[in-house]
Amino acid sequence: METGLTGKSALITGASRGIGRAIAFALAREGCSVMLSSRKKEALDAVAEELSAAYPDVRVETYAANAGDPEAAAACVAATVSALGGLDVLVNNAATNPYFGPLVDLDLARAEKTVRVNQYGIVLWTQLAWKAAMAERGGAIVNLASIGGFLTEPGIGYYNATKAAVIHLTRQFAAELAPKVAIRPSLTVGG
Ligand SMILES: NC(=O)c1ccc[n+]([C@@H]2O[C@H](COP(=O)([O-])OP(=O)(O)OC[C@H]3O[C@@H](n4cnc5c(N)ncnc54)[C@H](OP(=O)(O)O)[C@@H]3O)[C@@H](O)[C@H]2O)c1
């Protein structure tokens, strides 16, 4: 059965496992071509193999990129447009949590890594998707936030602060890019 996603093209970050992998399967099931991205090419290729076996008519590509690296992100978005013929759906799913502990002991290196991937990554990939395709063709962007963005919790306060930022950035981009692009936060519970 055809849906609004049939024949569209999606790029999913953090697609080598977990929620990103599940989103890739859900999109492929609708007949949407998918570009799978994360840092580890081998893990992505394994997911691509499974996806192609389940949905042989769907185009599946992989591209290894650190979500916090502007050059790698730009190359991945360009590869997506070139391989899939466009970019209609961006799923900003990749996130990291290198530190568990109280904020009073958080070090700069891990704070910077958390912000770069979880928070700046949302801005970076949205900018790239907008400039490469969505400013002209429109599209949809889903940002993986967390219920933790509204709460205080022991150990993961800084990670949760980046998720609070994701919720706000989603609102801000939704206002700035409407009506061309529909942007939604996805609020998962658990971490
Ligand atoms: N699971 C939960 O309970 C939960 C709850 C609330 C919110 N969330 C959010 O949902 C999203 C997915 O969570 P998950 O539990 O499925 O995560 P996960 O199982 O830990 O998987 C993380 C994915 O992101 C990739 N990744 C990690 N660092 C990256 C980086 N610097 N650049 C590019 N890719 C990177 C990983 O692949 P590589 O190692 O190959 O890079 C992997 O594919 C995240 O945004 C998370 O914050 C999850």
Side-chain angles (χ1 to χ4, degrees), residues 4 36 53 55 67 88 103 121 128-129 135 139 141 145 155 158 163 170 180 182 191:
L36 314 176
Y55 304 104
D88 304 296
L103 283 180
L128 291 165
I141 299 176
Y158 201 69
K163 291 300 180 178
T170 302
K180 276 268 180 193

Side-chain angles (χ1 to χ4, degrees), residues 10-62:
L11 165 57
I12 305 117
T13 68
S16 62
R17 61 176 188 264
I19 294 169
R21 177 184 175 281
I23 291 172
F25 269 81
L27 290 167
R29 193 178 55 226
E30 302 293 321
C32 186
S33 307
V34 289
M35 170 64 87
L36 314 176
S37 186
S38 80
R39 291 165 301 179
K40 296 173 192 133
K41 174 85 174 139
E42 252 180 50
L44 292 170
D45 288 342
V47 175
E49 206 170 303
E50 286 179 75
L51 261 169
S52 295
Y55 304 104
D57 297 336
V58 165
R59 179 111 198 223
V60 182
E61 300 283 340
T62 62

Side-chain angles (χ1 to χ4, degrees), residues 10 13 49 66 73 90-91 107 116 121 132 152-153 168 176 181-182 187:
T13 68
E49 206 170 303
N66 187 320
L90 169 66
V91 183
D107 57 281
R116 192 175 178 108
T152 57
E153 287 181 279
H168 187 74
E176 290 189 20
V181 177
L187 296 168

Side-chain angles (χ1 to χ4, degrees), residues 5-177:
L5 286 165
T6 309
K8 302 283 189 194
S9 308
L11 165 57
I12 305 117
T13 68
S16 62
R17 61 176 188 264
I19 294 169
R21 177 184 175 281
I23 291 172
F25 269 81
L27 290 167
R29 193 178 55 226
E30 302 293 321
C32 186
S33 307
V34 289
M35 170 64 87
L36 314 176
S37 186
S38 80
R39 291 165 301 179
K40 296 173 192 133
K41 174 85 174 139
E42 252 180 50
L44 292 170
D45 288 342
V47 175
E49 206 170 303
E50 286 179 75
L51 261 169
S52 295
Y55 304 104
D57 297 336
V58 165
R59 179 111 198 223
V60 182
E61 300 283 340
T62 62
Y63 197 100
N66 187 320
D69 176 345
E71 273 182 30
C76 180
V77 169
T80 304
V81 172
S82 158
L84 305 184
L87 176 53
D88 304 296
V89 180
L90 169 66
V91 183
N92 280 316
N93 169 74
T96 188
N97 185 20
Y99 176 76
F100 185 90
L103 283 180
V104 288
D105 290 328
L106 174 65
D107 57 281
L108 179 60
R110 282 182 288 184
E112 282 181 344
K113 180 178 176 183
T114 312
V115 168
R116 192 175 178 108
V117 175
N118 300 6
Q119 182 173 331
Y120 178 66
I122 298 281
V123 178
L124 172 64
W125 290 73
T126 301
Q127 290 173 330
L128 291 165
W130 172 257
K131 288 172 186 165
M134 292 185 185
E136 202 180 307
R137 294 167 39 143
I141 299 176
V142 178
N143 294 330
L144 272 284
S146 171
I147 292 297
F150 297 111
L151 306 173
T152 57
E153 287 181 279
I156 56 172
Y158 201 69
Y159 161 87
N160 277 346
T162 64
K163 291 300 180 178
V166 171
I167 293 163
H168 187 74
L169 289 168
T170 302
R171 284 195 208 104
Q172 183 68 29
F173 270 127
E176 290 189 20
L177 304 188

